[in-house]
Amino acid sequence: NAGVTQTPKFQVLKTGQSMTLQCAQDMNHNSMYWYRQDPGMGLRLIYYSASEGTTDKGEVPNGYNVSRLNKREFSLRLESAAPSQTSVYFCASWPRVYGLAHGRADTQYFGPGTRLTVL
Amino acid sequence: GDSVTQMEGPVTLSEEAFLTINCTYTATGYPSLFWYVQYPGEGLQLLLKATKADDKGSNKGFEATYRKETTSFHLEKGSVQVSDSAVYFCALSDQDTDKLIFGTGTRLQVFP
């Protein structure tokens, strides 16, 4: 049981290049999330997927796209990277079932992060 | 919208000192409250949680009590260790959404 895995761990891009960050979870969780972490800003939600086949924008979606490939995998794509996207990216999963009260006590499980630098 | 406010860091303490990290929140409804910890180079891990007013979450010597009257969830530990050095995030989840709202994080540095 590996939990939440992310690849790559580190990446350096030039402005305008594209790349996809991969995330997978083996806990059979319904919901998955992509965050970015910047100094002094905490974690900000980029996109999330409440269940397989659905995706929704979070707080800072501009410049990103996502794909919920199946229940296990949730990828984040930067089509044309910009220096403002230099950040640490975290994927998370949550067992919570959308809209049900019993999910209130659940926690999100985080991956180890991808450190991205855009030059 | 919902929000979480944490005290700014860094918090610098000597080993065995008492720790308090303040957290207040704004939310409609009755959120669940969480403290997460992030050790250097790692992702976030749940430290403790509370789901209703007056609940106390505790783990690894850390405690926090859900205070609805003051909309607070302050993190405390009676005697910190060097190994507690990390960034601590307060967060809330709203009962009607699938999202967590995080504070900006507080860095704790403990020196021997």
Side-chain angles (χ1 to χ4, degrees):
Chain A
N1 189 336
V4 180
T5 56
Q6 291 183 236
T7 55
K9 286 189 176 2
F10 302 93
Q11 183 71 49
V12 178
L13 294 177
K14 294 181 181 177
T15 297
Q17 288 185 314
S18 62
M19 79 161 295
T20 300
L21 281 65
Q22 306 287 354
C23 173
Q25 52 93 8
D26 60 2
M27 297 174 284
N28 202 37
H29 289 171
N30 288 305
S31 301
M32 297 185 74
Y33 305 79
W34 276 106
Y35 296 91
R36 60 178 289 172
Q37 183 180 26
D38 302 293
M41 304 288 287
L43 272 77
R44 293 183 291 170
L45 183 65
I46 304 171
Y47 270 94
Y48 69 106
S49 170
S51 62
E52 185 179 356
T54 68
T55 60
D56 286 284
K57 295 178 180 179
E59 184 183 353
V60 288
N62 291 345
Y64 305 95
N65 284 300
V66 291
S67 295
R68 184 74 183 267
L69 304 170
N70 47 55
K71 194 170 186 179
R72 288 187 65 250
E73 298 171 291
F74 188 40
S75 62
L76 178 72
R77 182 160 180 84
L78 287 70
E79 291 291 350
S80 179
S84 60
Q85 295 178 304
T86 294
S87 188
V88 181
Y89 291 85
F90 289 100
C91 178
S93 70
W94 201 355
R96 180 179 181 143
V97 178
Y98 181 76
L100 295 184
H102 75 262
R104 292 178 64 224
D106 293 335
T107 182
Q108 289 193 8
Y109 294 81
F110 284 80
T114 295
R115 186 173 295 275
L116 175 67
T117 301
V118 183
L119 302 175
Chain B
D2 295 354
S3 65
V4 174
T5 302
Q6 285 181 242
M7 62 187 290
E8 289 195 19
V11 173
T12 303
L13 295 173
S14 297
E15 206 164 24
E16 299 182 2
F18 185 86
L19 168 71
T20 300
I21 300 178
N22 290 337
C23 171
T24 57
Y25 67 90
T26 302
T28 55
Y30 302 94
S32 294
L33 300 174
F34 304 85
W35 276 100
Y36 285 83
V37 59
Q38 183 181 30
Y39 298 105
E42 298 183 10
L44 276 70
Q45 304 171 30
L46 179 68
L47 181 60
L48 53 83
K49 63 187 179 188
T51 59
K52 61 183 186 298
D54 300 325
D55 267 3
K56 178 186 281 189
S58 61
N59 186 26
K60 299 182 181 179
F62 290 90
E63 293 183 338
T65 300
Y66 190 141
R67 301 283 188 202
K68 191 169 186 298
E69 64 277 14
T70 55
T71 61
S72 65
F73 193 54
H74 304 321
L75 182 68
E76 297 181 335
K77 187 174 185 182
S79 176
V80 294
Q81 305 299 312
V82 173
S83 58
D84 293 327
S85 298
V87 180
Y88 293 82
F89 291 92
C90 186
L92 68 81
S93 72
D94 185 85
Q95 62 181 10
D96 294 322
T97 71
D98 289 310
K99 296 181 236 180
L100 279 175
I101 307 296
F102 286 90
T104 54
T106 302
R107 181 176 298 277
L108 170 65
Q109 298 174 319
V110 181
F111 293 95

